Amino acid sequence: IDDELPKETKVTILIQSGAPQSAVWKELGYTDDTIREWQRDIESTQQAQELQVQRQIDALAMKADGQDEPQLAQPQRQAIPERVN
């Protein structure tokens, strides 16, 4: 008796149960190295998207404050002591 579920059913169950993508990829037969590479790519893409969203939020906040351009931090000038002769 074949009591093994078909791969398609296993993958469907994993997806419906909210299992991590890596579990689905593993079930589909991808190697750990390939899965790690894909996870790094996904993380990199997510970080780039988060940065882009943050920049858009910052730009909107600047417009709301009436600023046209980002205000860059100005270097602090230190007072130079006068020479005593």
Side-chain angles (χ1 to χ4, degrees):
I1 298 175
D2 184 14
D3 63 349
E4 182 77 18
L5 292 173
K7 188 176 285 198
E8 180 181 335
T9 303
K10 289 181 186 179
V11 168
T12 300
I13 291 170
L14 286 169
I15 292 170
Q16 289 176 347
S17 70
Q21 286 180 328
S22 58
V24 175
W25 296 333
K26 189 78 168 172
E27 183 60 40
L28 291 172
Y30 291 101
T31 66
D32 289 338
D33 288 338
T34 299
I35 292 170
R36 277 191 294 274
E37 181 182 336
W38 288 350
Q39 287 172 327
R40 282 191 302 269
D41 289 346
I42 289 170
E43 289 170 5
S44 177
T45 300
Q46 287 174 339
Q47 288 173 352
Q49 289 173 340
E50 288 170 4
L51 181 60
Q52 182 179 11
V53 168
Q54 186 60 51
R55 286 181 178 160
Q56 291 172 344
I57 290 170
D58 292 346
L60 289 173
M62 286 180 2
K63 282 186 179 182
D65 288 342
Q67 298 176 16
D68 292 333
E69 296 182 17
Q71 298 295 316
L72 303 176
Q74 298 296 320
Q76 296 292 325
R77 294 183 180 218
Q78 294 182 350
I80 301 173
E82 294 183 27
R83 289 181 61 179
V84 177
N85 290 331

Short mmCIF file of all heavy atoms in Angstrom, two decimals, residues 46-83:
data_model
loop_
_atom_site.label_atom_id
_atom_site.label_comp_id
_atom_site.label_asym_id
_atom_site.label_seq_id
_atom_site.Cartn_x
_atom_site.Cartn_y
_atom_site.Cartn_z
N GLN A 46 14.06 42.82 -0.13
CA GLN A 46 13.21 43.41 0.91
C GLN A 46 13.89 44.63 1.53
O GLN A 46 13.24 45.65 1.76
CB GLN A 46 12.89 42.39 1.99
CG GLN A 46 11.89 41.34 1.55
CD GLN A 46 11.70 40.24 2.58
OE1 GLN A 46 12.54 40.01 3.45
NE2 GLN A 46 10.58 39.53 2.47
N GLN A 47 15.19 44.54 1.77
CA GLN A 47 15.91 45.67 2.35
C GLN A 47 15.91 46.86 1.40
O GLN A 47 15.73 48.01 1.82
CB GLN A 47 17.34 45.27 2.70
CG GLN A 47 17.42 44.35 3.89
CD GLN A 47 18.82 43.81 4.14
OE1 GLN A 47 19.73 44.00 3.33
NE2 GLN A 47 19.01 43.12 5.25
N ALA A 48 16.10 46.60 0.11
CA ALA A 48 16.08 47.67 -0.89
C ALA A 48 14.70 48.33 -0.94
O ALA A 48 14.59 49.55 -1.02
CB ALA A 48 16.48 47.13 -2.25
N GLN A 49 13.65 47.51 -0.87
CA GLN A 49 12.29 48.04 -0.89
C GLN A 49 12.01 48.87 0.37
O GLN A 49 11.38 49.93 0.29
CB GLN A 49 11.27 46.91 -1.02
CG GLN A 49 11.28 46.26 -2.39
CD GLN A 49 10.40 45.03 -2.46
OE1 GLN A 49 10.06 44.43 -1.44
NE2 GLN A 49 10.04 44.63 -3.67
N GLU A 50 12.47 48.39 1.51
CA GLU A 50 12.27 49.14 2.76
C GLU A 50 12.98 50.48 2.71
O GLU A 50 12.45 51.49 3.16
CB GLU A 50 12.76 48.31 3.95
CG GLU A 50 11.88 47.13 4.27
CD GLU A 50 12.49 46.18 5.29
OE1 GLU A 50 13.59 46.47 5.82
OE2 GLU A 50 11.88 45.13 5.55
N LEU A 51 14.19 50.49 2.17
CA LEU A 51 14.94 51.73 2.04
C LEU A 51 14.22 52.71 1.12
O LEU A 51 14.12 53.90 1.41
CB LEU A 51 16.35 51.45 1.52
CG LEU A 51 17.27 52.64 1.35
CD1 LEU A 51 17.48 53.37 2.67
CD2 LEU A 51 18.61 52.20 0.78
N GLN A 52 13.69 52.20 0.01
CA GLN A 52 12.97 53.05 -0.93
C GLN A 52 11.72 53.64 -0.27
O GLN A 52 11.44 54.83 -0.42
CB GLN A 52 12.58 52.25 -2.17
CG GLN A 52 11.88 53.07 -3.22
CD GLN A 52 11.52 52.25 -4.45
OE1 GLN A 52 11.61 51.03 -4.46
NE2 GLN A 52 11.13 52.93 -5.51
N VAL A 53 11.00 52.83 0.48
CA VAL A 53 9.80 53.31 1.16
C VAL A 53 10.18 54.37 2.19
O VAL A 53 9.53 55.41 2.31
CB VAL A 53 9.03 52.14 1.82
CG1 VAL A 53 7.96 52.65 2.78
CG2 VAL A 53 8.41 51.25 0.76
N GLN A 54 11.26 54.12 2.94
CA GLN A 54 11.70 55.09 3.95
C GLN A 54 12.07 56.42 3.29
O GLN A 54 11.76 57.49 3.82
CB GLN A 54 12.87 54.55 4.76
CG GLN A 54 13.26 55.46 5.91
CD GLN A 54 12.12 55.66 6.90
OE1 GLN A 54 11.51 54.71 7.36
NE2 GLN A 54 11.82 56.91 7.23
N ARG A 55 12.73 56.36 2.15
CA ARG A 55 13.10 57.59 1.43
C ARG A 55 11.85 58.35 0.99
O ARG A 55 11.80 59.57 1.06
CB ARG A 55 13.97 57.26 0.23
CG ARG A 55 15.39 56.89 0.62
CD ARG A 55 16.23 56.60 -0.58
NE ARG A 55 17.60 56.30 -0.19
CZ ARG A 55 18.45 55.65 -0.94
NH1 ARG A 55 18.10 55.22 -2.15
NH2 ARG A 55 19.68 55.41 -0.52
N GLN A 56 10.83 57.61 0.54
CA GLN A 56 9.59 58.25 0.13
C GLN A 56 8.89 58.89 1.32
O GLN A 56 8.37 60.00 1.23
CB GLN A 56 8.66 57.23 -0.55
CG GLN A 56 9.18 56.78 -1.90
CD GLN A 56 8.37 55.65 -2.49
OE1 GLN A 56 7.60 54.98 -1.80
NE2 GLN A 56 8.55 55.39 -3.78
N ILE A 57 8.91 58.20 2.45
CA ILE A 57 8.31 58.76 3.68
C ILE A 57 9.06 60.02 4.09
O ILE A 57 8.44 61.04 4.42
CB ILE A 57 8.33 57.71 4.81
CG1 ILE A 57 7.34 56.59 4.50
CG2 ILE A 57 8.01 58.36 6.16
CD1 ILE A 57 7.45 55.39 5.41
N ASP A 58 10.39 59.97 4.05
CA ASP A 58 11.19 61.14 4.40
C ASP A 58 10.90 62.31 3.47
O ASP A 58 10.80 63.45 3.92
CB ASP A 58 12.69 60.80 4.37
CG ASP A 58 13.10 59.83 5.47
OD1 ASP A 58 12.32 59.62 6.42
OD2 ASP A 58 14.20 59.26 5.37
N ALA A 59 10.78 62.03 2.17
CA ALA A 59 10.50 63.09 1.20
C ALA A 59 9.13 63.72 1.47
O ALA A 59 8.98 64.94 1.41
CB ALA A 59 10.56 62.54 -0.22
N LEU A 60 8.14 62.90 1.80
CA LEU A 60 6.81 63.42 2.11
C LEU A 60 6.84 64.25 3.39
O LEU A 60 6.19 65.29 3.48
CB LEU A 60 5.81 62.27 2.24
CG LEU A 60 5.44 61.56 0.95
CD1 LEU A 60 4.59 60.33 1.24
CD2 LEU A 60 4.73 62.50 0.00
N ALA A 61 7.60 63.80 4.37
CA ALA A 61 7.71 64.54 5.62
C ALA A 61 8.37 65.89 5.38
O ALA A 61 7.97 66.90 5.97
CB ALA A 61 8.49 63.73 6.65
N MET A 62 9.37 65.93 4.51
CA MET A 62 10.05 67.19 4.20
C MET A 62 9.09 68.15 3.51
O MET A 62 9.07 69.33 3.82
CB MET A 62 11.28 66.93 3.33
CG MET A 62 12.42 66.33 4.11
SD MET A 62 13.93 65.97 3.18
CE MET A 62 13.62 66.51 1.55
N LYS A 63 8.30 67.62 2.59
CA LYS A 63 7.34 68.49 1.90
C LYS A 63 6.32 69.04 2.89
O LYS A 63 5.92 70.19 2.81
CB LYS A 63 6.63 67.71 0.79
CG LYS A 63 7.46 67.55 -0.44
CD LYS A 63 6.67 66.90 -1.55
CE LYS A 63 7.52 66.75 -2.79
NZ LYS A 63 6.77 66.18 -3.90
N ALA A 64 5.91 68.19 3.83
CA ALA A 64 4.95 68.64 4.84
C ALA A 64 5.54 69.73 5.71
O ALA A 64 4.84 70.60 6.20
CB ALA A 64 4.49 67.45 5.69
N ASP A 65 6.85 69.69 5.90
CA ASP A 65 7.54 70.71 6.71
C ASP A 65 7.93 71.93 5.88
O ASP A 65 8.54 72.86 6.39
CB ASP A 65 8.80 70.13 7.35
CG ASP A 65 8.49 69.15 8.47
OD1 ASP A 65 7.34 69.18 8.97
OD2 ASP A 65 9.38 68.36 8.84
N GLY A 66 7.62 71.89 4.59
CA GLY A 66 7.95 73.02 3.72
C GLY A 66 9.38 73.02 3.21
O GLY A 66 9.86 74.02 2.70
N GLN A 67 10.06 71.92 3.32
CA GLN A 67 11.44 71.83 2.83
C GLN A 67 11.42 71.26 1.42
O GLN A 67 10.69 70.32 1.12
CB GLN A 67 12.27 70.92 3.73
CG GLN A 67 12.40 71.41 5.15
CD GLN A 67 13.15 70.40 6.02
OE1 GLN A 67 13.80 69.51 5.51
NE2 GLN A 67 13.05 70.57 7.31
N ASP A 68 12.25 71.86 0.55
CA ASP A 68 12.33 71.36 -0.82
C ASP A 68 13.42 70.31 -0.98
O ASP A 68 13.31 69.42 -1.79
CB ASP A 68 12.60 72.51 -1.79
CG ASP A 68 11.41 73.45 -1.89
OD1 ASP A 68 10.28 72.99 -1.66
OD2 ASP A 68 11.63 74.63 -2.19
N GLU A 69 14.48 70.48 -0.23
CA GLU A 69 15.62 69.58 -0.36
C GLU A 69 15.98 69.01 1.00
O GLU A 69 15.72 69.64 2.02
CB GLU A 69 16.83 70.34 -0.92
CG GLU A 69 16.60 70.86 -2.31
CD GLU A 69 17.83 71.58 -2.85
OE1 GLU A 69 18.92 71.39 -2.29
OE2 GLU A 69 17.68 72.31 -3.84
N PRO A 70 16.59 67.84 0.98
CA PRO A 70 16.98 67.28 2.27
C PRO A 70 17.99 68.17 2.96
O PRO A 70 18.85 68.77 2.32
CB PRO A 70 17.62 65.94 1.91
CG PRO A 70 17.61 65.81 0.43
CD PRO A 70 16.94 67.02 -0.13
N GLN A 71 17.86 68.27 4.24
CA GLN A 71 18.80 69.05 5.03
C GLN A 71 19.93 68.13 5.46
O GLN A 71 19.72 67.20 6.22
CB GLN A 71 18.10 69.64 6.27
CG GLN A 71 16.98 70.57 5.93
CD GLN A 71 17.49 71.81 5.21
OE1 GLN A 71 18.48 72.39 5.61
NE2 GLN A 71 16.81 72.20 4.14
N LEU A 72 21.09 68.38 4.94
CA LEU A 72 22.25 67.59 5.29
C LEU A 72 22.87 68.14 6.56
O LEU A 72 22.83 69.35 6.81
CB LEU A 72 23.28 67.60 4.15
CG LEU A 72 22.77 67.11 2.80
CD1 LEU A 72 23.85 67.26 1.75
CD2 LEU A 72 22.33 65.66 2.91
N ALA A 73 23.42 67.26 7.33
CA ALA A 73 24.06 67.70 8.57
C ALA A 73 25.24 68.59 8.23
O ALA A 73 26.05 68.27 7.37
CB ALA A 73 24.52 66.49 9.36
N GLN A 74 25.28 69.72 8.88
CA GLN A 74 26.39 70.66 8.66
C GLN A 74 27.53 70.31 9.60
O GLN A 74 27.29 70.01 10.77
CB GLN A 74 25.92 72.10 8.91
CG GLN A 74 24.82 72.55 7.97
CD GLN A 74 25.28 72.59 6.54
OE1 GLN A 74 26.40 73.00 6.26
NE2 GLN A 74 24.43 72.14 5.63
N PRO A 75 28.74 70.35 9.09
CA PRO A 75 29.87 70.05 9.97
C PRO A 75 29.96 71.11 11.07
O PRO A 75 29.71 72.29 10.82
CB PRO A 75 31.08 70.09 9.05
CG PRO A 75 30.64 70.79 7.82
CD PRO A 75 29.15 70.66 7.75
N GLN A 76 30.29 70.67 12.23
CA GLN A 76 30.43 71.58 13.36
C GLN A 76 31.81 72.24 13.29
O GLN A 76 32.81 71.57 13.13
CB GLN A 76 30.30 70.81 14.68
CG GLN A 76 28.94 70.19 14.88
CD GLN A 76 27.88 71.25 15.09
OE1 GLN A 76 28.15 72.28 15.71
NE2 GLN A 76 26.69 71.01 14.59
N ARG A 77 31.81 73.56 13.39
CA ARG A 77 33.08 74.29 13.41
C ARG A 77 33.49 74.47 14.84
O ARG A 77 32.70 74.88 15.67
CB ARG A 77 32.95 75.64 12.72
CG ARG A 77 32.69 75.53 11.25
CD ARG A 77 32.64 76.91 10.65
NE ARG A 77 32.40 76.77 9.23
CZ ARG A 77 32.97 77.54 8.32
NH1 ARG A 77 33.79 78.49 8.69
NH2 ARG A 77 32.72 77.36 7.06
N GLN A 78 34.74 74.19 15.08
CA GLN A 78 35.27 74.39 16.42
C GLN A 78 35.93 75.74 16.50
O GLN A 78 36.58 76.18 15.56
CB GLN A 78 36.28 73.30 16.77
CG GLN A 78 35.64 71.93 16.86
CD GLN A 78 36.67 70.87 17.23
OE1 GLN A 78 37.85 71.13 17.26
NE2 GLN A 78 36.17 69.69 17.51
N ALA A 79 35.73 76.39 17.60
CA ALA A 79 36.36 77.70 17.79
C ALA A 79 37.85 77.51 17.89
O ALA A 79 38.35 76.62 18.58
CB ALA A 79 35.82 78.36 19.04
N ILE A 80 38.58 78.33 17.14
CA ILE A 80 40.03 78.28 17.19
C ILE A 80 40.49 79.34 18.18
O ILE A 80 40.15 80.52 18.04
CB ILE A 80 40.64 78.55 15.80
CG1 ILE A 80 40.12 77.50 14.82
CG2 ILE A 80 42.16 78.57 15.85
CD1 ILE A 80 40.50 77.75 13.39
N PRO A 81 41.22 78.91 19.19
CA PRO A 81 41.65 79.90 20.19
C PRO A 81 42.56 80.94 19.54
O PRO A 81 43.34 80.64 18.64
CB PRO A 81 42.41 79.08 21.21
CG PRO A 81 42.51 77.70 20.68
CD PRO A 81 41.69 77.61 19.45
N GLU A 82 42.40 82.16 19.99
CA GLU A 82 43.26 83.23 19.47
C GLU A 82 44.68 83.05 20.00
O GLU A 82 44.88 82.59 21.12
CB GLU A 82 42.73 84.60 19.90
CG GLU A 82 41.39 84.91 19.26
CD GLU A 82 40.92 86.30 19.65
OE1 GLU A 82 41.76 87.16 19.94
OE2 GLU A 82 39.71 86.47 19.67
N ARG A 83 45.60 83.42 19.17
CA ARG A 83 47.01 83.32 19.60
C ARG A 83 47.32 84.46 20.56
O ARG A 83 46.95 85.60 20.35
CB ARG A 83 47.93 83.44 18.40
CG ARG A 83 47.83 82.17 17.53
CD ARG A 83 48.74 82.25 16.36
NE ARG A 83 50.14 82.36 16.82
CZ ARG A 83 51.15 82.43 15.97
NH1 ARG A 83 50.94 82.43 14.68
NH2 ARG A 83 52.38 82.51 16.41
#
